Amino acid sequence: MSETQSTSVMDQIVSLCKRRGFIYPASEIYGGIRGFWDYGPLGILLKNNIRDWWWRNMVECPPLGPDGHPVDIVGLDSAIIQNPKTWEASGHVAGFNDPMVDCKATQGRYRADHVKVLIPKDGVGSSFAFVDDKEAAEKKIKRDAHRNPVDYQEVVLTSLPAEAYEKIVGPDAKVAGTLTQPRPFSLMLDTYPGPIRDEANKAYLRPETAQGIFLNFKNIIDTTRVKVPFGVAQIGKSFRNEVTPRNYIFRSREFEQMEMEFFCAPDEALKWYQFWRSERMRWWESLGVAASHLRFRDHAAEELSHYSKATVDIEYLYPFTAPDFGELEGIAHRGDFDLTQHSKHSGQKLDYFDQELQLALKEKGASAEEIKAKSRYMPNVIEPASGLTRAVLVLLCEAYTPDETRPSKVFLKFKPQFAPVKLGIFPLVNKDGMPETAEKLYLDLRGKYTCEYDPKQTIGKRYARMDEIGTPYCITVDGQTAQDQTVTVRDRDTQGQVRVGLDKLQGYLAAGLGK
Ligand code: ATP
């Protein structure tokens, strides 16, 4: 896909999502607010379907571990605002920042590692920076420097020396030399709970859900029956003051995460890291995402967070990154960093006494010192951390299927399980008892499936709307229904219609919708 084509696919997805009620810009009537989005009637259904599937596969029905027994995972919903010491211990206060450059001319602010620069290959003349729009930068080159764009090469801003900044025309600027040097910019949004607004009362909106899990490690050990190895899963909002929120909901300032911290014995951590790596990839494929659109990207040693022993990202082929991939989930081997840090900062003991290991060592005839040294330890953590709102974006991109032959010109080919609306139920026309029968059918089916009853407009328009929102089946009550107790069922993907007896309908739908 060329860059222009892929940009327009994204524009079309954004426009469909707005038009049909998936996603709206937050505070739109006031001109919006950058980096914030509202999920409309269909967006919330889609998001909840993904959320519920994650929860089902993590907490209610977790996978079988390498030993063939189900792994133990419990749920949690911790507060968004925690004691600010949390973020000192986790390293976020000191280290959770991005390098940022400001433009003195336009007041624009950009993440330095996201700014790319077109620099002349012969080193002569101005360089032109851009964030998303390479074409605009090339136009600037043609206009301002009368040069052929092929004489330029693309580099990341942060790879250029300080003196080169004098020659760079910023992404939205007209003249060179207006970009400042990169400086660290904290990604944490702060707030002041209580009546007094001073430093002592400053708190943070969590930038990740994970820390709430570490803070409750001891509570969960003390109040439930879990034993290491076990996991704690949490889904919820996180907030990051992203310098350049962009690519629609991909990088937002308020978003939702689905994170699980898996606590295990230190010498088993690598085994569990490998386990969760493959489990998580399988999970993304279970959403109906094509395997060819997903890939692993192992972090290189220099890219690893200071605490991480190994990290891999699961990446997706987004229309705006193609032919490259972009992050969807990170799976990190965090060692014992978090529990050790919280233990140091809180003064509480957060290590774990492994009674089973103690018994096993005793049976093996280990020495008293070895038993003592090994059976009390700080658990290691493997963390699969993914974005729920990013998953919504992935399913929208994956489902988006242009089809010039349909009245809607496009349909959303969601795997039925994730489609926001499973069934459209229509009377063919508004007479001869058809609306009454269709409404009765709707009342029968809505307890089982998300249904929409729609008696308005022509049948063609109703099918077109259901195609655009990705509804797998449309059921139409027509003149024949009263005679032979059958309805037509239209399949979203094939557009084929079959007549199904009302007595067979539930079974027919269960086969197609998986319930
Ligand atoms: P990036 O490098 O893209 O800033 P990250 O590596 O900091 O992301 P993590 O801290 O690993 O991201 O967060 C786990 C997941 O949370 C990410 O894989 C992504 O799906 C999601 N996520 C992180 N930041 C955002 C954001 N600003 N908007 C939407 N989702 C996000």
Side-chain angles (χ1 to χ4, degrees):
M1 220 183 280
S2 80
E3 198 144 306
T4 4
Q5 264 176 332
S6 62
T7 314
S8 72
V9 165
M10 213 43 232
D11 288 346
Q12 285 161 28
I13 294 175
V14 173
S15 137
L16 187 154
C17 286
K18 171 75 204 303
R19 196 169 68 243
R20 290 303 184 191
F22 282 91
I23 298 167
Y24 311 119
S27 331
E28 196 182 9
I29 61 168
Y30 290 108
I33 169 165
R34 218 168 148 219
F36 297 88
W37 298 91
D38 293 338
Y39 290 77
L42 295 177
I44 180 67
L45 289 172
L46 173 60
K47 182 148 71 74
N48 287 353
N49 288 343
I50 303 171
R51 179 200 67 184
D52 293 348
W53 186 234
W54 188 91
W55 195 255
R56 174 125 198 92
N57 287 278
M58 274 296 179
V59 181
E60 293 164 0
C61 204
L64 300 185
D67 61 358
H69 292 291
V71 296
D72 225 351
I73 303 182
V74 293
L76 179 75
D77 184 12
S78 68
I80 285 174
I81 296 176
Q82 300 282 354
N83 187 312
K85 285 184 190 149
T86 306
W87 309 106
E88 283 165 27
S90 68
H92 284 82
V93 170
F96 194 53
N97 47 50
D98 281 333
M100 168 208 84
V101 288
D102 284 311
C103 178
K104 288 177 267 185
T106 65
Q107 267 71 54
R109 176 168 277 187
Y110 314 95
R111 215 171 120 173
D113 53 338
H114 287 167
V115 176
K116 293 190 190 135
V117 187
L118 292 170
I119 57 169
K121 279 190 177 155
D122 58 10
V124 180
S126 300
S127 306
F128 295 84
F130 64 97
V131 180
D132 290 315
D133 200 346
K134 185 173 173 183
E135 256 180 58
E138 281 173 347
K139 271 194 198 140
K140 270 198 220 166
I141 292 174
K142 281 196 184 149
R143 197 176 53 236
D144 298 351
H146 307 291
R147 291 175 67 106
N148 184 337
V150 294
D151 291 330
Y152 280 75
Q153 61 179 355
E154 193 178 310
V155 294
V156 178
L157 178 66
T158 37
S159 67
L160 292 172
E163 56 279 13
Y165 281 58
E166 279 313 301
K167 283 189 175 177
I168 299 173
V169 180
D172 303 300
K174 293 205 165 60
V175 293
T178 61
L179 289 185
T180 63
Q181 296 293 315
R183 346 184 225 126
F185 174 75
S186 171
L187 290 179
M188 293 222 284
L189 281 160
D190 47 36
T191 183
Y192 297 81
I196 300 164
R197 196 181 169 84
D198 64 7
E199 267 312 286
N201 288 299
K202 181 156 134 182
Y204 301 96
L205 303 188
R206 68 180 175 202
E208 58 175 37
T209 57
Q211 296 304 321
I213 297 179
F214 299 124
L215 300 189
N216 283 291
F217 172 73
K218 199 169 173 322
N219 277 339
I220 290 172
I221 292 274
D222 291 349
T223 59
T224 74
R225 298 177 60 76
V226 291
K227 290 199 173 71
V228 169
F230 72 94
V232 182
Q234 165 152 247
I235 300 178
K237 294 251 180 179
S238 291
F239 301 80
R240 295 184 187 179
N241 200 8
E242 298 282 0
V243 182
T244 35
R246 64 195 181 128
N247 290 330
Y248 197 31
I249 57 171
F250 177 82
R251 189 173 298 288
S252 317
R253 290 182 170 142
E254 174 177 338
F255 55 98
E256 260 172 278
Q257 290 186 304
M258 308 183 285
E259 298 194 291
M260 194 273 291
E261 308 304 315
F262 195 76
F263 301 94
C264 57
D267 56 0
E268 294 208 324
L270 269 177
K271 176 183 85 179
W272 286 109
Y273 172 69
Q274 294 300 343
F275 172 78
W276 283 111
R277 240 180 105 107
S278 36
E279 273 306 316
R280 294 305 302 149
M281 183 59 101
R282 268 192 358 176
W283 187 80
W284 285 107
E285 287 172 15
S286 77
L287 297 181
V289 184
S292 59
H293 293 169
L294 292 165
R295 73 170 189 199
F296 283 120
R297 190 182 68 80
D298 284 291
H299 285 211
E302 62 275 15
E303 205 189 338
L304 290 176
S305 318
H306 52 291
Y307 52 76
S308 178
K309 302 215 165 108
T311 296
V312 65
D313 287 345
I314 296 181
E315 296 188 326
Y316 176 71
L317 185 68
Y318 298 95
F320 49 81
T321 55
D324 207 350
F325 288 61
E327 181 175 337
L328 176 54
E329 164 155 353
I331 299 145
H333 176 342
R334 297 174 74 112
D336 63 7
F337 174 78
D338 306 273
L339 288 179
T340 305
Q341 283 295 103
H342 287 304
S343 178
K344 272 192 209 150
H345 284 249
S346 66
Q348 305 275 325
K349 283 186 108 178
L350 297 178
D351 56 358
Y352 178 75
F353 172 59
D354 193 330
Q355 204 172 9
E356 280 170 24
L357 182 61
Q358 187 192 44
L359 286 176
L361 288 170
K362 256 188 200 157
E363 263 170 37
K364 260 182 29 191
S367 69
E369 293 90 83
E370 190 188 350
I371 295 175
K372 197 168 167 224
K374 284 199 171 158
S375 50
R376 187 170 277 285
Y377 54 79
M378 204 53 113
N380 273 210
V381 168
I382 308 302
E383 174 197 74
S386 58
L388 171 56
T389 40
R390 226 173 249 190
V392 169
L393 178 59
V394 167
L395 285 207
L396 285 167
C397 294
E398 192 69 8
Y400 187 83
T401 314
D403 179 356
E404 279 303 315
T405 65
R406 303 184 180 226
S408 56
K409 308 286 183 222
V410 65
F411 67 109
L412 293 183
K413 201 174 176 177
F414 293 119
K415 185 171 175 183
Q417 180 185 348
F418 301 99
V421 178
K422 308 286 190 260
L423 302 172
I425 301 173
F426 315 140
L428 180 64
V429 287
N430 261 321
K431 55 181 187 185
D432 302 334
M434 292 181 217
E436 291 76 10
T437 310
E439 197 180 66
K440 175 164 184 316
L441 195 55
Y442 164 72
L443 292 175
D444 284 350
L445 290 169
R446 68 174 188 171
K448 205 158 193 186
Y449 305 107
T450 324
C451 304
E452 270 194 19
Y453 172 68
D454 186 359
K456 300 201 189 85
Q457 293 187 308
T458 64
I459 192 74
K461 284 200 174 135
R462 283 179 272 170
Y463 285 155
R465 176 169 172 275
M466 287 296 159
D467 276 354
E468 265 200 306
I469 68 173
T471 305
Y473 293 119
C474 292
I475 303 172
T476 306
V477 171
D478 57 16
Q480 205 177 315
T481 309
Q483 292 158 23
D484 65 3
Q485 303 299 302
T486 62
V487 288
T488 66
V489 180
R490 175 186 180 270
D491 180 298
R492 173 197 68 198
D493 299 346
T494 64
Q495 300 179 73
Q497 296 188 19
V498 287
R499 286 209 83 84
V500 179
L502 286 170
D503 55 340
K504 304 234 163 45
L505 191 58
Q506 296 259 8
Y508 183 89
L509 296 174
L513 296 171
K515 242 192 218 172

